[in-house]
Amino acid sequence: MSLIKYYPGDTFFHKLDPRTKMVWLISIFILAFIFTNPVHTAVLFIILLALWVFIKIPFREMKLFFKALTLISIFTFFIQLIFYPGSRIMFKIPIPTWIPYFEGALKLTEEGLIMGISMVLRLFVIVLSMPLVTMTTSIEKLVLGLIRFKMPYEVAFATTTALNMVPSLQDDARMIMEAQKARAFTAIEKGSLKEKIKAYVPLIIPLMVGAMRKGQQLEIAMESRAFGAYKTRTYLTELKMSKTDYITIVLLLTITFACIILRVTIGFGTLE
Amino acid sequence: MGIIEIRNLTYNYPQSDQPALREVSLTVNEGEIVVLMGHTGCGKSTLCLALNGIIPHAIGGSFSGEVVVDGLNTLESTIPELASRVGMVFQNPETQLFSARVISEVAFGPENLALPREEIIERVKWAIEATRLRGYEDRPPMSLSGGEKQQVALASALAMRPKILVLDEPTSELDPAGTYRIFSMVKEMREKFGITFIIVEHKEEAVKMADRVVLMKDGMVICDGDPRTVFSNIKAVSECMVRPPQVSQLFYLLSNSGLNIEKIPITHEEAARVIRGILEKRSGEDLGRIRLKEHREISTAGKNSKPVIEFLNVSYQYRNGPMAIRDLNLKIYEGEFVAVIGHNGSGKTTMMKLINGLLLPTKGDVLVNSLNTKDLTVSEMAKTVGYIFQNPDHQIFSFTVWDEVAFGPKNLDLPPEEVESRVKEALKIVGLWEMRERHPFTLSRGQRQRLAVASVLAMHPKIIILDEPTTGQDEVAINQIMTLVDRLRREGRTIIMVTHDMSIVTKYAERTIVLRKGEVLMDGPTRDVFLKPEVLRESLVDVPPIMKLAGELSNYGVPKGILTVEEMYNFIVGR
């Protein structure tokens, strides 16, 4: 799960306050949402790619992520290509007439093609923008950023602690699997679907029980250090908005609003 | 007025009609190190939680009596108020650390107290210094070793600037080096900062640094006093199922044979003084060098037979990780009882998993009964190699004890009558037959451990691997498991045991393999291995106290090879 992991660095993006990054994230989402024209989405995509290169995060660790992304993109592209209604037909692929909706032929249209590209690009933009924030911001800063946005600190803590517990639970799952394997447990590999699902019981129960026990023990540990003592708490980490942060936020908000207005008035970013 | 005053504390957990604590009264003075001992379930942890208000405020239950900590009555105070007086460290490092960096973990407590930021920074710095963690500030706690994690837990508790620190089995999961470090920090903190310590422990090193020892049984305090007085009360010690220091055990045997001794020694130096006195009185007689017969039967199958396990030039490297085992070449023979010891990270568990096929060598081959582990699945290996894991809760999932034990044999596709007979046999061996209809979660930890053993035994393995069988167990549970294992060995099975507990190594294992950084440092009869303490130390292993005693008495004719309490006893009484 290296998407959540924090890779320290001192690039411009790293140094931005987490709140600025959150504004950035929301802006990107809005823009990706309102732009349907692949040209405009491509611009967003290129900006993102540039940022990814710029933050100097090793791509090697992301191989699995990119593979999955590519698969989903190809799938999305073909869905658009095949299903999107359009008038400028490029190719016609005959198919049996009993398949509903297509009336005997897959019509690959220009519009479908463009829409396909646009969708894929939007997908990329959305999926690639989030890790940029999580990978360049330490957990403490993220939590603090959320809290400054008025999220109750118990909620922020619950989320980050849960995330931090994931590796521990993964360890548990592995140990449970090993213990059951050592008792000749193979049911997950063979059997019907129903049997396979039932087969997960010897894994799920110890895992759940273990997780609940861990939760209880964690609660006691946290209370023993006065968690929840007062309505507010002080923080070791500090968040200070710099001039760069304010300028960046103003720029982002301006661009976003401008695009929204242009979209609504003259259809900027659409395919009309 | 002590810094802790407990008066007639009686407590029941919610929905429980058995009191966890009965009329407990205790006074602790500031700066004392008090060690709390007793059988599993005697109420030690419950008592700890009553000191900082978790009981009753967070857990509920019915509470009568009074607990006053640093002048505050726990019933009338809140947990946060008490948290600045009493810090707590728990047994499992995994479930008390949850931050992304050491420094944030340590700051967590002071942050909760809403202290000004400068003060938080100062406290964190102080706590990190006091626990020797300078340089660790930005490291993720999850990436640290068990011992280091406990240091972080200690620092996190210390950052609250408590006057009292309560440590509940802080070293159970640690190796001897980690244990030593924690205990030495405890002593240092008491010296430097005057902190009062309440420590729940099983290990004798804790006893040696205690000002007082408190023994508990079934929720009651049975005995309370300085360590020597307490351990002189043999009846109380055995009632509470506490393992006394090795040298004390020797004196229990001697006093049974008529030796009159008022205060039982707890360290080997004290014991040496007393024994020198005894031996000097006999100086006229021929002290005689007894030939130390092997007090364990060595399998007669011995070295002439085929090995049941062979490691041929085995190396193992974890993916993206270190080389855990390097060029291992070993043979283990049928019927041997082998102990595998060494520092944390030396490759002991890796070696065990290579035997039952959970791991396959990255280089070389492991043969079990002449079959290569690469050719068999783990399930197939399970018919021959039984692996008893450290934590029984990692495998228990059935609704009845019977079903739990039947799981393994059923996986082997055995006919139902066979399954039934095996389950019955296994449950009877571990003494859980009467509990066969009970839900496993209603069993105590020691019983669940035996349940895990039974579920492995029902597979009828010829080779049994034990991973840390005695961690955190009381004396009775340890004896039950080890006697059982020894019996299995005498029936012809091969036993391989990974442990940090040197007293059971010397008592049960005829052969010891010492690993260091993935390689074999020593391999031979236990007696020979333990006669080389300098070499052992290279793998951060120390000889058991009884051997240190023997060392102190070597010019009194005590044979060097004395390994166990029984052997020392036999020597002294002249057998």
Side-chain angles (χ1 to χ4, degrees), chain B residues 110-125:
Chain B
E111 285 177 340
N112 288 329
L113 294 177
L115 296 169
R117 195 165 165 270
E118 303 74 39
E119 188 170 347
I120 298 182
I121 295 177
E122 208 215 290
R123 285 195 184 196
V124 167
K125 228 166 89 184

Side-chain angles (χ1 to χ4, degrees), chain B residues 52-298:
Chain B
N52 75 343
I54 297 266
I55 286 176
H57 301 296
I59 297 188
S62 67
F63 184 107
S64 74
E66 198 179 57
V67 177
V68 179
V69 168
D70 197 22
L72 294 177
N73 184 317
T74 62
L75 269 184
E76 295 156 16
S77 316
T78 61
I79 295 179
E81 283 174 331
L82 294 166
S84 349
R85 312 288 213 281
V86 183
M88 278 225 200
V89 174
F90 304 90
Q91 178 181 356
N92 188 348
E94 300 264 304
T95 54
Q96 54 189 331
L97 304 180
F98 40 81
S99 308
R101 292 187 303 157
V102 167
I103 195 175
S104 358
E105 188 73 57
V106 179
F108 183 73
E111 285 177 340
N112 288 329
L113 294 177
L115 296 169
R117 195 165 165 270
E118 303 74 39
E119 188 170 347
I120 298 182
I121 295 177
E122 208 215 290
R123 285 195 184 196
V124 167
K125 228 166 89 184
W126 171 76
I128 286 186
E129 274 295 333
T131 50
R132 309 187 202 156
L133 284 171
R134 200 180 340 161
Y136 282 79
E137 287 88 343
D138 288 322
R139 308 236 333 238
M142 306 300 176
S143 70
L144 302 177
S145 73
E148 290 165 335
K149 283 185 186 144
Q150 287 298 62
Q151 280 171 262
V152 176
L154 205 50
S156 311
L158 209 57
M160 307 289 278
R161 285 243 181 220
K163 285 199 182 159
I164 302 163
L165 272 177
V166 178
L167 312 180
D168 192 350
E169 298 204 40
T171 66
S172 281
E173 316 261 333
L174 307 185
D175 64 358
T179 305
Y180 176 77
R181 226 178 340 185
I182 297 285
F183 287 155
S184 76
M185 270 187 242
V186 166
K187 280 188 273 202
E188 217 176 78
M189 285 190 248
R190 195 268 293 267
E191 294 310 322
K192 279 202 205 156
F193 312 118
I195 297 181
T196 311
F197 279 92
I198 313 281
I199 311 180
V200 175
E201 258 295 338
H202 294 280
K203 296 183 180 162
E204 61 176 89
E205 295 90 323
V207 170
K208 289 176 197 161
M209 71 174 176
D211 297 313
R212 270 169 59 202
V213 171
V214 175
L215 298 183
M216 287 182 70
K217 174 183 180 232
D218 296 331
M220 294 181 287
V221 171
I222 301 289
C223 195
D224 172 4
D226 76 273
R228 286 155 196 83
T229 313
V230 168
F231 282 99
S232 303
N233 186 341
I234 302 177
K235 179 162 171 287
V237 170
S238 87
E239 250 180 39
C240 299
M241 302 188 217
V242 166
R243 181 197 285 189
Q246 261 199 332
V247 300
S248 313
Q249 293 174 39
L250 172 64
F251 279 85
Y252 290 359
L253 292 175
L254 288 173
S255 78
N256 260 352
S257 299
L259 175 71
N260 234 340
I261 180 150
E262 247 198 61
K263 281 254 179 122
I264 304 249
I266 59 176
T267 67
H268 65 269
E269 293 96 343
E270 293 164 14
R273 255 175 273 141
V274 178
I275 297 184
R276 276 188 213 119
I278 299 176
L279 296 178
E280 271 163 7
K281 287 201 195 104
R282 283 202 220 151
S283 56
E285 306 160 30
D286 174 18
L287 287 170
R289 273 147 214 278
I290 62 168
R291 278 234 322 280
L292 289 167
K293 285 198 335 235
E294 278 308 323
H295 62 281
R296 297 159 291 255
E297 299 152 34
I298 304 187

Side-chain angles (χ1 to χ4, degrees), chain B residues 32 134 231 265 271 314-315 326 354 420 454 487 516 535 551 555:
Chain B
E32 279 191 312
R134 200 180 340 161
F231 282 99
V314 173
S315 293
R326 260 170 234 280
L354 283 164
E420 242 198 82
R487 187 179 124 191
R516 177 180 179 264
V535 184
N555 43 354

